[in-house]
Amino acid sequence: MLALLGAPDVRLRARRVVKRLRRAAELQRGAGVELVKFHAQFRKEFVEVLPPAKPVKRQKFDWTKD
């Protein structure tokens, strides 16, 4: 619609935006993979040094209360 109203370069600008978004998505996926690898390596190297995790005690919801 914008191309009809006098903006013929809209498709070109949209292609640039799409290209940048695709590149950002690819880099984000790569960062996620590296984060998982980092966490596994960190735990492997420092598991004996880290304090044991304490389970979080959660309160149960009482459905009988008003």
Side-chain angles (χ1 to χ4, degrees):
M1 183 168 178
L2 288 174
L4 297 174
L5 298 176
D9 63 334
V10 170
R11 288 180 192 242
L12 178 63
R13 292 187 297 167
R15 271 191 225 125
R16 283 191 218 147
V17 171
V18 168
K19 184 179 177 182
R20 188 169 300 274
L21 284 174
R22 284 187 181 146
R23 189 173 19 188
E26 181 181 340
L27 291 172
Q28 189 273 335
R29 280 191 295 273
V33 169
E34 290 300 320
L35 183 61
V36 170
K37 289 179 182 179
F38 161 75
H39 187 259
Q41 184 69 31
F42 180 79
R43 290 191 53 104
K44 178 180 168 186
E45 299 294 335
F46 295 104
V47 71
E48 66 276 349
V49 180
L50 294 173
K54 296 179 184 177
V56 177
K57 188 173 182 179
R58 296 183 180 177
Q59 294 180 352
K60 293 190 177 187
F61 186 77
D62 187 7
W63 292 95
T64 60
K65 287 185 179 180
D66 285 331

